[in-house]
């Protein structure tokens, strides 16, 4: 039976955290090197990253703020400010800057999980919990992505660390400043950041055994986060204005629920931990590390982050569809707590085996990720080369933003010719929410940055000729859309086709 009394220690000291940071860098670096995933730092931007790049590289602050308020992207300004700052510190903003920001936050997340866990469990158990985070496919998916999710996870974890530190802190004013900064960062990195902040605070408040006045005296700087988010309300209102469809996410379905559960309860990393636990039970013997108790009080905040899973479900059902696993990515930290508790009651050699297994799985997963994005890059290059070699100066009309934006970002010489085809000027009431949302968002990007441009159906009908790049099955389908035109296939590819459309 797991003991629950308080463990009288203050967690990892400064030297141990420094050594842990070095170990994280070494292990993460080894995973990146063995899997060759370091090559992905400079790979082509995908759709959402193009939006990050546009806003982060915007040199005009007033224009940047207007574009953000105008809904080029639908998030608070925190990420773009971080990337702008990183560009200044690096001496220039590049595509790699976006990826390095995500990578650094991934490493900080792993280190933060270890630091929090060490307040309640031993070294090997905390190491297993941190490496579980590094092996989580959803974490790895965003570890090299210039978006919000790794910064949100990292700031949520370190907020939990700061909250837990107050019980032993001597210079409390330092921790109050850190708490205020982290709460502001968390609330302005993503609109769901305030939920992560609230759950972490609620967990620590409930577990902290001190009088409520003492807790209030320490935790009041957390209000800086909601205050900063309140200052972003004009941005939120501007981003929501004019949208006939609130989101690209479809209403909750059985398939969505299965994907959501699969991502948040990753089978193989959890199986590695469970396997180690079962090995101990099969072979038996004294548990040299398991005789220690677990202190749940400092782990309460990070455990409470698991409530984000329930929040996203409720929000999706009651407010608007949002059942996307990455919105609940902070909940992975709560899974790490469970893994660490299991390993705290295992022999050291079992915990070591689990850690090796997690690193091996992380390396394999990162290699799979490298192959996925390498294929993506090859597709972008093949499309661009085909368009350069096989077309003249005709407009290049894409029916998917997911292809138009990466090609335009990677090949600026094609940018003036690239259009996103929005369909009819007056959208059909039967058009999908996704297609309508994509059209409205594309018009916003066109309005503020001028590329890729949007071409409506009536504009398209006036063209003498154009090249259509689409994800359609065959020439007959494209011919049905443009019945008065001659349709000539230029190039066939595995996932999409390129057609020349001209007047007969």
């Amino acid at each position: 039976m797991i003991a629950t009394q308080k463990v009288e220690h203050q967690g990892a000291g400064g030297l141990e955290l420094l050594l842990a940071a070095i170990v994280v860098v070494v292990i993460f670096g080894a995973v990146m090197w063995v899997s060759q995933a370091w090559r992905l730092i400079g790979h082509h931007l995908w759709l959402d990253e193009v939006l990050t790049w546009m806003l982060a590289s915007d040199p005009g602050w007033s224009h940047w703020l207007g574009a953000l308020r105008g809904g080029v992207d639908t998030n608070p300004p925190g990420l773009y400010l971080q990337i702008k700052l990183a560009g200044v510190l690096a001496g220039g903003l590049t595509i790699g800057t976006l990826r390095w920001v995500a990578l650094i936050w991934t490493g900080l997340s792993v280190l933060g999980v270890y630091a929090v866990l060490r307040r309640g469990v031993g070294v090997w158990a905390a190491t297993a919990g941190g490496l579980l985070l590094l092996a989580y496919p959803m974490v790895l998916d965003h570890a090299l992505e210039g978006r919000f999710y790794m910064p949100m996870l990292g700031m949520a974890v370190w907020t939990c660390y700061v909250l837990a530190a107050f019980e032993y802190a001597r210079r409390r004013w330092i921790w109050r400043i850190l708490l205020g900064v982290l709460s502001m960062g968390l609330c302005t990195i993503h609109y769901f950041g305030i939920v992560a902040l609230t759950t972490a605070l609620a967990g620590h408040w409930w577990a902290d055994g001190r009088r409520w006045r003492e807790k209030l005296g320490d935790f009041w700087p957390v209000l800086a986060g909601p205050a900063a988010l309140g200052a972003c309300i004009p941005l939120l209102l501007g981003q929501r204005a004019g949208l006939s469809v609130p989101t690209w996410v479809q209403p909750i379905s059985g398939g969505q629920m299965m994907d959501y559960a699969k991502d948040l309860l990753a089978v193989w990393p959890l199986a590695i931990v469970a396997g180690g636990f079962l090995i101990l039970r099969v072979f038996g013997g004294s548990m040299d590390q398991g005789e220690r108790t677990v202190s749940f009080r400092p782990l309460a905040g990070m455990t409470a982050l698991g409530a984000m899973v329930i929040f996203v479900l409720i929000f999706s059902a009651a407010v608007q569809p949002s059942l996307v696993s990455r919105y609940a990515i902070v909940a992975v930290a709560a899974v790490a707590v469970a893994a660490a508790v299991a390993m705290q009651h295992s022999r050291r050699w079992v915990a070591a085996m689990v850690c090796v297994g997690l690193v091996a799985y992380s390396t394999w997963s990162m290699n799979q990720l490298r192959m996925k994005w390498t294929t993506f890059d090859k597709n972008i290059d093949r499309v661009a080369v085909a368009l350069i070699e096989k077309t003249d100066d005709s407009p290049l009309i894409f029916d998917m933003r997911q292809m138009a934006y990466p090609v335009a970002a990677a090949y600026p010489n094609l940018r003036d010719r690239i259009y996103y085809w929005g369909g009819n000027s007056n959208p059909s009431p039967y058009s999908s929410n996704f297609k309508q949302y994509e059209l409205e968002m594309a018009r916003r990007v066109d309005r503020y940055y001028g590329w890729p441009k949007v071409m409506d159906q009536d504009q398209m009908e006036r063209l003498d000729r154009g090249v259509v790049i689409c994800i359609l099955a065959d020439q007959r389908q494209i011919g049905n859309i443009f019945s008065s035109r001659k349709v000539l296939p230029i190039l066939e590819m595995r996932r999409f086709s390129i057609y020349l459309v001209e007047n007969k």
Side-chain angles (χ1 to χ4, degrees), residues 70-71 73-74 236-248 320 436-442 444:
D73 206 356
T74 54
L236 174 62
L237 296 177
Q239 290 166 359
R240 304 292 293 180
L243 282 177
S244 61
V245 180
T247 178
W248 60 271
Q320 73 175 47
Q436 180 62 17
Y437 181 84
E438 290 287 276
L439 172 58
E440 293 176 359
M441 293 299 293
R444 292 176 168 194

Coordinates of all heavy atoms in Angstrom, one line a residue, residues 70-71 73-74 236-248 320 436-442 444:
G70 N -6.9 41.3 -36.2 CA -7.7 41.0 -37.3 C -7.9 39.6 -37.6 O -8.6 39.2 -38.5
G71 N -7.2 38.7 -36.8 CA -7.5 37.3 -36.9 C -6.7 36.5 -37.8 O -7.1 35.4 -38.3
D73 N -4.2 34.9 -37.0 CA -4.1 33.7 -36.1 C -5.0 34.0 -34.9 O -5.3 35.2 -34.6 CB -2.7 33.4 -35.7 CG -2.5 31.9 -35.4 OD1 -3.5 31.2 -35.4 OD2 -1.3 31.5 -35.1
T74 N -5.5 33.0 -34.3 CA -6.5 33.2 -33.3 C -6.0 32.8 -31.9 O -6.6 32.0 -31.2 CB -7.8 32.3 -33.6 OG1 -7.4 31.0 -33.8 CG2 -8.4 32.8 -34.9
L236 N -9.1 39.2 -28.7 CA -10.0 38.1 -28.8 C -11.3 38.5 -29.6 O -11.7 37.8 -30.5 CB -10.3 37.5 -27.5 CG -11.4 36.4 -27.4 CD1 -11.0 35.2 -28.2 CD2 -11.7 36.1 -26.0
L237 N -11.8 39.6 -29.2 CA -13.0 40.1 -29.9 C -12.8 40.4 -31.3 O -13.6 40.1 -32.2 CB -13.5 41.4 -29.2 CG -14.0 41.2 -27.7 CD1 -14.4 42.5 -27.1 CD2 -15.1 40.2 -27.6
G238 N -11.6 40.9 -31.7 CA -11.3 41.2 -33.1 C -11.1 39.9 -33.8 O -11.6 39.8 -35.0
Q239 N -10.5 38.9 -33.2 CA -10.3 37.6 -33.9 C -11.6 36.9 -34.1 O -11.8 36.2 -35.1 CB -9.4 36.7 -33.0 CG -8.0 37.2 -33.0 CD -7.1 36.6 -31.9 OE1 -7.6 35.8 -31.1 NE2 -5.9 37.0 -31.8
R240 N -12.6 37.0 -33.2 CA -13.9 36.4 -33.4 C -14.8 37.1 -34.3 O -15.7 36.5 -34.9 CB -14.6 36.3 -32.0 CG -13.8 35.6 -31.0 CD -13.6 34.1 -31.2 NE -14.8 33.4 -31.1 CZ -14.9 32.0 -31.3 NH1 -13.8 31.4 -31.6 NH2 -16.0 31.4 -31.2
A241 N -14.6 38.4 -34.5 CA -15.5 39.2 -35.3 C -15.5 38.8 -36.8 O -14.4 38.5 -37.3 CB -15.1 40.7 -35.2
G242 N -16.6 38.7 -37.4 CA -16.7 38.4 -38.8 C -16.6 36.9 -39.2 O -16.8 36.6 -40.4
L243 N -16.4 36.1 -38.2 CA -16.4 34.6 -38.5 C -17.8 34.0 -38.5 O -18.5 34.1 -37.5 CB -15.5 33.9 -37.5 CG -14.0 34.0 -37.7 CD1 -13.3 33.3 -36.6 CD2 -13.5 33.5 -39.1
S244 N -18.2 33.5 -39.6 CA -19.5 32.8 -39.6 C -19.4 31.4 -39.1 O -20.4 30.8 -38.7 CB -20.0 32.8 -41.1 OG -19.2 32.0 -41.9
V245 N -18.2 30.8 -39.0 CA -18.0 29.5 -38.4 C -16.9 29.7 -37.4 O -15.8 30.2 -37.6 CB -17.5 28.5 -39.5 CG1 -17.2 27.2 -38.9 CG2 -18.5 28.4 -40.7
P246 N -17.2 29.3 -36.1 CA -16.3 29.6 -35.0 C -14.9 28.9 -35.0 O -14.0 29.3 -34.5 CB -17.1 29.3 -33.8 CG -18.0 28.3 -34.2 CD -18.4 28.6 -35.6
T247 N -14.9 27.7 -35.7 CA -13.7 26.9 -35.6 C -13.7 25.9 -36.7 O -14.7 25.6 -37.3 CB -13.6 26.1 -34.3 OG1 -12.5 25.3 -34.2 CG2 -14.9 25.2 -34.1
W248 N -12.5 25.4 -37.0 CA -12.3 24.3 -38.0 C -12.7 23.0 -37.5 O -12.8 22.0 -38.2 CB -10.9 24.3 -38.6 CG -9.9 24.0 -37.5 CD1 -9.2 24.9 -36.7 CD2 -9.4 22.8 -37.1 NE1 -8.4 24.3 -35.8 CE2 -8.4 23.0 -36.1 CE3 -9.6 21.5 -37.5 CZ2 -7.7 21.9 -35.5 CZ3 -8.9 20.4 -36.9 CH2 -8.0 20.7 -35.9
Q320 N -18.0 25.2 -27.9 CA -17.8 25.1 -29.3 C -16.9 23.8 -29.5 O -16.1 23.5 -28.6 CB -17.1 26.3 -30.0 CG -15.7 26.5 -29.6 CD -15.0 27.6 -30.3 OE1 -15.6 28.7 -30.4 NE2 -13.8 27.4 -30.8
Q436 N -15.5 26.5 -45.1 CA -15.9 27.9 -44.9 C -14.9 28.6 -43.9 O -14.5 29.8 -44.2 CB -17.3 28.0 -44.3 CG -17.8 29.4 -44.1 CD -17.9 30.2 -45.3 OE1 -17.9 29.7 -46.5 NE2 -18.0 31.5 -45.2
Y437 N -14.5 28.0 -42.9 CA -13.5 28.5 -41.9 C -12.2 28.8 -42.7 O -11.6 29.9 -42.5 CB -13.3 27.6 -40.8 CG -12.4 28.1 -39.7 CD1 -12.8 29.0 -38.7 CD2 -11.0 27.7 -39.7 CE1 -11.9 29.4 -37.7 CE2 -10.2 28.2 -38.8 CZ -10.6 29.0 -37.8 OH -9.7 29.5 -36.8
E438 N -11.8 27.9 -43.5 CA -10.5 28.0 -44.2 C -10.6 29.3 -45.1 O -9.6 30.0 -45.2 CB -10.2 26.8 -45.0 CG -9.8 25.6 -44.2 CD -8.4 25.7 -43.6 OE1 -7.5 25.4 -44.3 OE2 -8.3 26.2 -42.4
L439 N -11.7 29.4 -45.8 CA -11.9 30.6 -46.7 C -11.8 31.9 -46.0 O -11.1 32.8 -46.4 CB -13.2 30.4 -47.5 CG -13.6 31.6 -48.3 CD1 -12.5 31.9 -49.4 CD2 -15.0 31.3 -49.0
E440 N -12.5 32.0 -44.9 CA -12.6 33.2 -44.1 C -11.2 33.5 -43.5 O -10.8 34.7 -43.5 CB -13.6 33.2 -43.0 CG -15.1 33.1 -43.6 CD -16.1 32.9 -42.5 OE1 -15.8 32.8 -41.4 OE2 -17.3 32.8 -42.9
M441 N -10.5 32.5 -43.0 CA -9.2 32.8 -42.5 C -8.2 33.2 -43.6 O -7.3 34.0 -43.4 CB -8.7 31.5 -41.7 CG -9.4 31.2 -40.5 SD -9.4 32.5 -39.2 CE -7.6 32.5 -38.8
A442 N -8.3 32.5 -44.8 CA -7.4 32.9 -45.9 C -7.6 34.3 -46.3 O -6.7 35.0 -46.7 CB -7.7 31.9 -47.1
R444 N -8.4 36.8 -44.4 CA -7.7 37.6 -43.4 C -6.2 37.7 -43.7 O -5.6 38.8 -43.6 CB -8.0 37.1 -42.0 CG -9.5 37.2 -41.5 CD -9.6 36.5 -40.2 NE -10.9 36.9 -39.6 CZ -11.3 36.6 -38.4 NH1 -10.4 36.1 -37.5 NH2 -12.5 37.0 -37.9

